[in-house]
Amino acid sequence: MKDDRMNTDSSKEPEKCACEGQAKAGRRDFLLKIGLGLNAIAAAAIGIPIVGYALSSFVQKFPLKSVSLGPVSNFPEGTTRLASYRNPYSRKWDGDTAEIPCWVRHISNNDFQVFAINCTHLGCPVRWFDESKLFMCPCHGGAYYQDGTHAAGPPPRPLYTYEWWVENNELFLKGGILPTLADPKV
Amino acid sequence: MRFSPGLSASLAVLLSVLLPACEWMPGRPRKADEVVAPTAVMDFSKLFTQNCVGCHGAGGNISGSFALDDPTYLAVVPEEKLRAVITGGVPGSLMPPFSIAHGGMLTDDQITVLVQGISAWKPPAANSSALPPYSAPPGQAAAGAQVYETYLASLRKMAGDAMFADGFLANRAFLGLTSDQYLRTLILIGRPELGIPNFERAIPGQPLSNEQIADMVAWLISQRKNEFGQPLVPVPQ
Amino acid sequence: MIGIFRNVCLWVDDRLHVSKLFAATAGHHVPKSSGSWFYVLGSATLLCFMIQLVTGTLLAFVYVPSASQSYETLMYLSYEQPLGWFLRGLHYWGSNFMVGIMFLHMTQVFLFGAYKYPREITWISGCILMLLTLGLAFTGQVMRFDEDAYWGTGIGAAIAGRVPFLGAQLVQLMLGGPIINSDTLSRFFTLHVFILPGSVLALISLHLRMVLTKGINEYPKPGHIVRRETYDQEYAAIIKKEGVPFFPKAISKDLVAASIVIFSILFCAAVFGPKMPNGPADPTQIVTVPRPDFYFLWIFAVAALLPVYTETFLLLAGGPVIILILFALPFVNNTGEKSWRRRPVAVITVILIYVVLGILTYLGNASPWSPEMGAWTSATTEKSRVIGRSPLELQGLVLLQNKQCRNCHAIDGVGGHRGPDLMNIGTRLTESQLIRQIIQGGGNMPAYGNKLLPYEVEALTAYLVSLRPEGQPPARDSSVPAVPPKEQSHTSLPPKPHGES
């Protein structure tokens, strides 16, 4: 019973609206335009910060920062050793991923080469083999000579190298980004 | 609404059967199978098969270099020497360093596991005091030539011809690639798995004396030639 | 009593329009011929997604998407949380079944011509669902934040880094910063649990909506041609003549299939268990062999096998081209024959795709192009390859290990498979050819010229020449006249005896 009454109530409403005058229709059109316009502005106002937040890492610049690899004595002359540095852009909750490995080749005296761990093919970690003086990649079989030049396999370029310098018998490099073909200057 | 006691009881029984049943399901991961970092592997046989068998062999496996379970070798080699060689390798020879500090992959604890595991193969009856020492300075080259000839003639009767075609131990390339200690070790322990007996049985009825071995090593060293101007293997201190 | 109950039901139905909803959805009429075993794959895929939603939500009770803690929470889930391992197993196997059944569904739709007029949008929404599902699978394996996840993300970044002009920015967008860290994990987590599942839900509504508005494809009859002008009437006639309500007339096979899928997932989770992480994502731990989950192994294989100069182009353009072909398919091939019995090209295409994907997956799993990093210290050698060798040749064998030759070259199948097996190398290359190959490299072998001492080359070749079947002479220079094998065995051995006197 109750239902029926409610149904009739609601069915009356459109009738009431239909008998309003032209002026009201014009006002409603105007209101609609205002409503749409205001919402367009509001959408932009809310959308710009949202898109800006979501794409922040897309536009942000991450300049390289200097980090220490420790005393030069850690790298005996004539050897290539694994070293690691704390990523300058790391967060407190980064755990193990904050520590970034690299290969340090001490050629002689104050002459070094510091290679990124990432294969230039698809970024897998290359491993140094001192006996054959080769870096080998476990993913697709890339190999590099001791100076980082291409020896075999699919890598399109030599190993990525860091800019390094020695200060007070300490080895420094400029690091902080994942080297890729688009941004090979680590 | 309440469950009848019978329903509750059977539910409880079902749960108590099902939940522990999950314990022994084959898919349940076992803590023992958890992946450990390579530096945390402490199992001797795993470490040995990953790091040693390529060149050394053991337990019936044979390879290019002597077997590490060779009873003569284990009887003469001091444990500390074993550790030093695994840790830092033998510079100028083909034995690479294995410790992380020397550019290898193993921690000191892992090397301890290897040293202990290899030493544990030592036959209990071995009496090392009766044997020639593991290392000794080279003796007289002139006397060594004589001994080597007898040694070689005796070995030729025991092992196949193919092994002697290129000069055996006196091959100049072989000498260029091996340390003095390696020559001594080879004569001491032989390669029983390849038909070359150790110093006791190399010449039947006539065990080689420490002096004879040292003389032979001295003669072999004198045969090293530096034809290509390449660095010769340094004499170990 | 019954009267009151009836009234309540009518009231609820009036407010919620349940019966109309039912008639428009589960009760809608489908061609009787679509009640076929081939038609259960779509609902089975949907079922898998439901399982993924439930198990995934429950896993999120415990899982923490943080680079410092995700691994620990996974360990807790797998070992301590009651039934945590089982839920992980259900989620893992649910994803495998979802990807598998989805591709079977897609194959069936393709072979039955269901993408043709008027179901173009159904096909395209299905293609987008396929991409979203693969996205869920990829981001899902990153949730198992282990070595494979870390380096797999690195591979993704390296591919993004090949995009011209925008590469560097895209890498940063993908990683959420300049390098792989916790931000990267959080980003993939957000994709995996919010953005992609939400998009899948939206697309599923569209996909099912299209099934309702344009009807399910009738079981195609060979020789029955689809024409834009007549198809709608024909389909209406089919529904009118032999239409049955989906529920309860056509759903029985879907129900049976659904239970089979659930039992299979339960079985796999209980017997094979979840995939365990292979060690925490610690980039300094480089003793690792990164491999993707099996549904991406074929891409992994493609990346290894493409010629270098085609690689960037094909890695970047391949995906969009495949997607474009899939999207264009219903428009290019809008009408005509539906039955696979009259569409040999479609059948051959499907067989070809499955064979190629199968072979690539097999190769990706075996990855013969990868050096075996530990072979140089762990690859054993058969007794027959050691016995009877001179000290120099034995030293050659030690060199073969020491110089990491075994990482790429097997002997009797043991070792790496990047280069040829060396078991019979002595019959194929002469001593001087071997020296040339070792010194200069070539054919994808690095040059060892400045890494080997002359004595080392001598020992290596002496051993390699000795690697040949019993009784077979070594390879010989064709410009030198053949000599009887007896003398040959002596002349072929390189160094002249020195010490014998």
Side-chain angles (χ1 to χ4, degrees):
Chain A
M1 287 301 285
K2 211 172 157 196
D3 331 346
D4 289 349
R5 188 155 41 83
M6 278 173 79
N7 271 347
T8 46
D9 276 358
S10 58
S11 63
K12 263 181 198 165
E13 226 167 338
E15 272 177 55
K16 207 163 51 179
C17 300
C19 57
E20 296 289 331
Q22 283 291 100
K24 192 154 188 186
R27 200 163 70 212
R28 208 186 289 147
D29 279 358
F30 177 68
L31 257 181
L32 180 70
K33 278 175 189 158
I34 291 277
L36 285 176
L38 279 175
N39 272 294
I41 297 168
I46 197 168
I48 288 170
I50 285 178
V51 172
Y53 175 92
L55 296 186
S56 59
S57 67
F58 183 80
V59 288
Q60 228 170 319
K61 293 268 181 286
F62 297 97
L64 299 175
K65 293 186 179 175
S66 20
V67 280
S68 168
L69 283 179
V72 169
S73 57
N74 283 358
F75 311 103
E77 209 169 304
T79 63
T80 301
R81 292 282 165 86
L82 188 68
S84 68
Y85 64 90
R86 198 167 170 80
N87 170 22
Y89 290 106
S90 67
R91 315 255 183 264
K92 273 184 192 155
W93 53 95
D94 267 356
D96 291 336
T97 59
E99 206 61 27
I100 306 299
C102 58
W103 289 106
V104 176
R105 177 187 179 213
H106 191 166
I107 304 167
S108 63
N109 279 333
N110 265 357
D111 195 9
F112 286 84
Q113 256 184 316
V114 187
F115 302 109
I117 197 80
N118 307 89
C119 182
T120 58
H121 179 230
L122 287 174
C124 288
V126 295
R127 213 191 298 177
W128 168 248
F129 288 94
D130 196 54
E131 290 71 23
S132 50
K133 309 281 179 216
L134 288 173
F135 293 98
M136 293 188 197
C137 175
C139 283
H140 300 109
Y144 307 82
Y145 293 119
Q146 56 185 345
D147 59 354
T149 50
H150 173 266
R157 52 155 285 158
L159 282 176
Y160 305 113
T161 49
Y162 289 92
E163 188 189 329
W164 59 270
W165 65 97
V166 176
E167 220 175 279
N168 298 329
N169 274 324
E170 203 174 336
L171 185 62
F172 287 87
L173 60 74
K174 282 200 164 227
I177 70 158
L178 180 75
T180 57
L181 288 177
D183 202 350
K185 293 177 288 297
V186 285
Chain B
M1 189 162 141
R2 300 201 57 169
F3 289 120
S4 72
L7 188 62
S8 321
S10 44
L11 262 178
V13 168
L14 198 69
L15 271 179
S16 59
V17 167
L18 276 184
L19 278 179
C22 299
E23 300 288 319
W24 51 257
M25 275 188 191
R28 186 187 165 94
R30 321 271 147 200
K31 200 114 197 167
D33 301 335
E34 196 181 329
V35 178
V36 292
T39 47
V41 176
M42 288 296 161
D43 174 45
F44 169 69
S45 72
K46 204 169 173 191
L47 284 173
F48 191 84
T49 38
Q50 279 172 355
N51 295 289
C52 311
V53 294
C55 297
H56 284 289
N61 222 328
I62 59 177
S63 190
S65 196
F66 56 86
L68 284 172
D69 58 355
D70 185 281
T72 325
Y73 177 72
L74 291 170
V76 295
V77 69
E79 213 172 285
E80 275 324 295
K81 184 73 195 165
L82 201 54
R83 176 189 301 278
V85 168
I86 297 175
T87 303
V90 180
S93 86
L94 296 181
M95 176 68 191
F98 280 86
S99 87
I100 290 172
H102 289 81
M105 293 289 201
L106 300 182
T107 64
D108 290 347
D109 289 342
Q110 287 177 310
I111 291 174
T112 305
V113 170
L114 276 177
V115 171
Q116 285 170 350
I118 293 170
S119 307
W121 282 330
K122 189 170 168 173
N127 177 12
S128 47
S129 59
L131 298 169
Y134 173 72
S135 52
Q140 302 296 316
Q146 199 76 44
V147 187
Y148 181 73
E149 209 175 318
T150 335
Y151 176 71
L152 197 66
S154 168
L155 291 186
R156 265 180 183 281
K157 281 182 217 138
M158 303 182 201
D161 253 359
M163 291 182 85
F164 302 95
D166 59 8
F168 203 57
L169 296 183
N171 180 292
R172 71 197 194 296
F174 173 74
L175 289 172
L177 288 170
T178 42
S179 66
D180 299 353
Q181 178 60 53
Y182 192 74
L183 295 172
R184 182 180 169 84
T185 309
L186 265 191
I187 298 172
L188 263 174
I189 71 173
R191 289 297 300 274
E193 71 275 29
L194 301 177
I196 306 290
N198 69 0
F199 72 99
E200 281 178 308
R201 284 172 229 113
I203 307 172
Q206 256 185 290
L208 292 166
S209 69
N210 181 30
E211 202 187 351
Q212 284 175 312
I213 298 170
D215 289 348
M216 247 203 287
V217 171
W219 181 77
L220 286 170
I221 293 169
S222 74
Q223 297 301 302
R224 276 210 190 104
K225 293 211 171 56
N226 196 7
E227 287 166 65
F228 305 99
Q230 62 184 324
L232 290 176
V233 168
V235 183
Q237 272 84 53
Chain C
M1 185 72 186
I2 291 171
I4 294 170
F5 180 71
R6 187 172 169 273
N7 276 346
V8 169
C9 286
L10 284 176
W11 181 87
V12 169
D13 187 43
D14 180 79
R15 293 303 185 278
L16 295 178
H17 287 203
V18 176
S19 57
K20 280 184 195 158
L21 184 71
F22 183 85
T25 54
H28 82 287
H29 281 236
V30 297
K32 204 173 175 188
S33 61
S34 71
S36 145
W37 284 112
F38 288 108
Y39 281 62
V40 303
L41 297 165
S43 68
T45 313
L46 179 61
L47 173 77
C48 289
F49 180 65
M50 294 306 180
I51 293 175
Q52 293 307 88
L53 275 188
V54 174
T55 53
T57 307
L58 293 174
L59 288 175
F61 280 178
V62 176
Y63 182 76
V64 175
S66 145
S68 58
Q69 280 163 331
S70 61
Y71 196 82
E72 278 171 56
T73 57
L74 276 174
M75 291 297 129
Y76 177 82
L77 265 173
S78 306
Y79 297 127
E80 282 159 63
Q81 161 74 34
L83 292 172
W85 70 272
F86 195 64
L87 264 280
R88 282 202 61 225
L90 289 178
H91 200 65
Y92 173 65
W93 285 101
S95 77
N96 285 345
F97 274 84
M98 184 168 165
V99 172
I101 299 174
M102 176 192 70
F103 276 113
L104 289 179
H105 174 52
M106 195 173 171
T107 310
Q108 178 265 323
V109 164
F110 176 70
L111 286 177
F112 281 48
Y115 58 87
K116 296 191 178 191
Y117 179 87
R119 301 189 180 82
E120 300 90 343
I121 306 262
T122 324
W123 169 262
I124 289 175
S125 60
C127 289
I128 300 174
L129 277 170
M130 185 256 305
L131 297 176
L132 291 172
T133 306
L134 289 179
L136 278 166
F138 183 77
T139 51
Q141 75 187 28
V142 175
M143 293 306 99
R144 206 191 310 120
F145 203 58
D146 58 357
E147 290 172 8
D148 283 357
Y150 184 91
W151 298 110
T153 315
I155 291 179
I159 294 176
R162 287 173 182 247
V163 174
F165 309 116
L166 289 177
Q169 274 73 41
L170 283 175
V171 172
Q172 290 180 6
L173 179 69
M174 179 185 160
L175 302 182
I179 208 156
I180 304 167
N181 64 2
S182 210
D183 289 4
T184 316
L185 177 58
S186 298
R187 182 154 292 234
F188 277 82
F189 180 76
T190 311
L191 278 170
H192 188 71
V193 307
F194 297 118
I195 299 174
L196 292 175
S199 315
V200 168
L201 283 174
L203 261 292
I204 285 178
S205 351
L206 175 63
H207 200 65
L208 292 183
R209 175 82 206 149
M210 295 317 296
V211 172
L212 292 178
T213 48
K214 291 295 162 189
I216 190 111
N217 191 31
E218 76 282 3
Y219 199 103
K221 286 193 203 86
H224 191 93
I225 306 293
V226 176
R227 286 189 190 82
R228 266 190 286 272
E229 303 76 36
T230 56
Y231 180 80
D232 289 327
Q233 290 98 307
E234 282 169 21
Y235 188 78
I238 291 174
I239 295 290
K240 200 165 184 192
K241 205 175 117 210
E242 46 160 303
V244 291
F246 176 67
F247 183 90
K249 294 283 181 195
I251 200 175
S252 49
K253 283 172 184 156
D254 291 87
L255 289 175
V256 173
S259 64
I260 291 174
V261 168
I262 293 177
F263 281 130
S264 307
I265 293 175
L266 281 170
F267 176 82
C268 289
V271 174
F272 306 114
K275 181 162 178 170
M276 291 302 286
N278 67 345
D282 176 0
T284 61
Q285 205 306 93
I286 58 161
V287 184
T288 178
V289 182
R291 291 289 179 273
D293 280 2
F294 89 92
Y295 19 74
F296 296 115
L297 275 173
W298 67 275
I299 301 181
F300 184 79
V302 163
L305 298 173
L306 285 178
V308 176
Y309 57 92
T310 62
E311 197 166 58
T312 299
F313 175 72
L314 288 179
L315 278 180
L316 296 179
V321 167
I322 292 173
I323 293 167
L324 204 73
I325 292 174
L326 286 175
F327 281 15
L329 176 71
F331 302 106
V332 174
N333 193 2
N334 194 241
T335 54
E337 188 71 53
K338 267 188 186 176
S339 171
W340 59 271
R341 287 169 195 277
R342 296 277 172 92
R343 289 165 61 221
V345 177
V347 175
I348 290 170
T349 308
V350 165
I351 292 173
L352 213 63
I353 289 172
Y354 271 83
V355 168
V356 167
L357 287 184
I359 291 174
L360 285 175
T361 304
Y362 166 77
L363 284 174
N365 186 44
S367 49
W369 50 78
S370 292
E372 212 158 290
M373 299 296 211
W376 69 293
T377 53
S378 67
T380 53
T381 312
E382 293 238 340
K383 279 196 170 113
S384 63
R385 309 285 183 192
V386 186
I387 287 170
R389 263 55 174 195
S390 71
L392 177 72
E393 288 165 338
L394 291 174
Q395 207 65 12
L397 170 55
V398 176
L399 271 161
L400 203 69
Q401 306 284 150
N402 178 279
K403 298 295 174 191
Q404 280 96 27
C405 308
R406 287 296 283 276
N407 286 16
C408 293
H409 291 285
I411 300 179
D412 303 306
V414 184
H417 297 279
R418 168 108 211 171
D421 194 310
L422 299 176
M423 56 194 289
N424 292 330
I425 190 78
T427 62
R428 284 186 281 121
L429 295 180
T430 65
E431 191 197 340
S432 53
Q433 284 170 328
L434 281 167
I435 293 175
R436 193 210 60 79
Q437 180 64 32
I438 293 171
I439 301 286
Q440 297 181 7
N444 231 340
M445 174 168 159
Y448 287 81
N450 53 4
K451 303 180 184 81
L452 292 173
L453 301 171
Y455 283 152
E456 293 179 322
V457 178
E458 204 172 321
L460 260 180
T461 47
Y463 180 69
L464 291 174
V465 167
S466 83
L467 285 181
R468 48 183 203 266
E470 185 128 15
Q472 208 159 321
R476 112 192 121 72
D477 191 335
S478 55
S479 63
V480 176
V483 278
K486 233 185 186 175
E487 288 167 54
Q488 199 178 29
S489 69
H490 275 271
T491 48
S492 72
L493 288 160
K496 305 283 170 292
H498 257 247
E500 289 181 72
S501 46

